[in-house]
Amino acid sequence: MNLRAYRSELQWTVVVVVLAVLAAVALWPRGQDQQQGPSAAPPPAERIDPQHRAAAALQACPAGTGGPTELAGTSLQCLADGGPVDLAEAASGGPTLINLWATWCVPCRTELPALQAYSTEPGAVRVLGVQVDSGAAEGLDLLRSLGVHFPNLHDGDDRARAALRSPNVLPVSYVVTASGEVRRIDPPVAFESPHEVRAAVERTLGGQ
């Protein structure tokens, strides 16, 4: 092989190698944490008629500053108006009960009214629902049919479950203490009465 042919073959070899590397980089799988971290923007809000939201008569989602560090940057959507809400800020400013639920969860349909009744009692801590694994429109319909009006957020891509390190079970509830500590209510069983909710909250707070 003469020198000119050798150089030509070498150049083509370099080109083939570079193209192979670029293709590998383009196809390299991105981790879930690279695609959507907790501080990334939430997915676009489901298009829901404002009258549909208003019919559920949900209370406005709470807003504050600070809150549990482990929940900071977890951006969800308020079911009442579709606006973005930071979960940590929503749970700031005092003890808060966070309840995760879904429309397909049968025990949730028993628990949500019990939580609603508890939320109206004197001395109750703030109750904040987080709908997961189901569409916002379906959630609004369920809350309206059950007469549930405490503030609720919609988690369209499991951000809250990831931040809370939630087990693969529903319903499940957490209590955020006045100091911002997040404590799971155990065992994760569905509440059937406001008395059960109060007892679980007081037990989890431990007198705090």
Side-chain angles (χ1 to χ4, degrees), residues 11-104:
Q11 289 174 342
W12 277 110
T13 300
V14 171
V15 170
V16 170
V17 171
V18 170
L19 290 176
V21 171
L22 291 175
V25 171
L27 296 175
W28 191 267
R30 268 67 170 176
Q32 184 73 10
D33 57 338
Q34 290 179 302
Q35 294 182 17
Q36 56 174 41
S39 60
E46 184 177 337
R47 296 183 68 87
I48 298 175
D49 189 298
Q51 293 183 348
H52 191 172
R53 293 188 187 276
L58 295 178
Q59 296 175 17
C61 294
T65 57
T69 303
E70 62 200 275
L71 304 182
T74 306
S75 185
L76 308 180
Q77 289 162 351
C78 180
L79 273 177
D81 59 19
V85 177
D86 186 277
L87 182 57
E89 295 177 0
S92 66
T96 302
L97 168 61
I98 300 177
N99 174 258
L100 273 59
W101 61 276
T103 56
W104 51 260

Side-chain angles (χ1 to χ4, degrees), residues 16 25 28 107 125 148 154 169 186:
V16 170
V25 171
W28 191 267
V125 304
V148 173
H154 184 252
V169 61
D186 289 316

Side-chain angles (χ1 to χ4, degrees), residues 107-198:
C108 297
R109 295 171 180 255
T110 299
E111 182 172 81
L112 286 166
L115 290 168
Q116 171 62 33
Y118 165 75
S119 70
T120 63
E121 292 184 349
V125 304
R126 178 196 299 132
V127 179
L128 181 65
V130 177
Q131 181 195 353
V132 300
D133 293 347
S134 46
E138 297 174 4
L140 288 165
D141 289 339
L142 178 61
L143 294 174
R144 181 177 60 178
S145 68
L146 295 175
V148 173
H149 305 294
F150 59 79
N152 270 270
L153 310 177
H154 184 252
D155 183 6
D157 52 5
D158 285 341
R159 291 165 182 253
R161 300 185 84 169
L164 290 165
R165 299 179 180 85
S166 175
N168 191 26
V169 61
L170 290 175
V172 60
S173 296
Y174 298 80
V175 174
V176 178
T177 69
S179 61
E181 180 184 356
V182 180
R183 301 175 182 174
R184 193 175 80 186
I185 293 180
D186 289 316
V189 295
F191 301 119
E192 296 184 356
S193 70
H195 172 75
E196 292 180 0
V197 179
R198 181 176 293 277

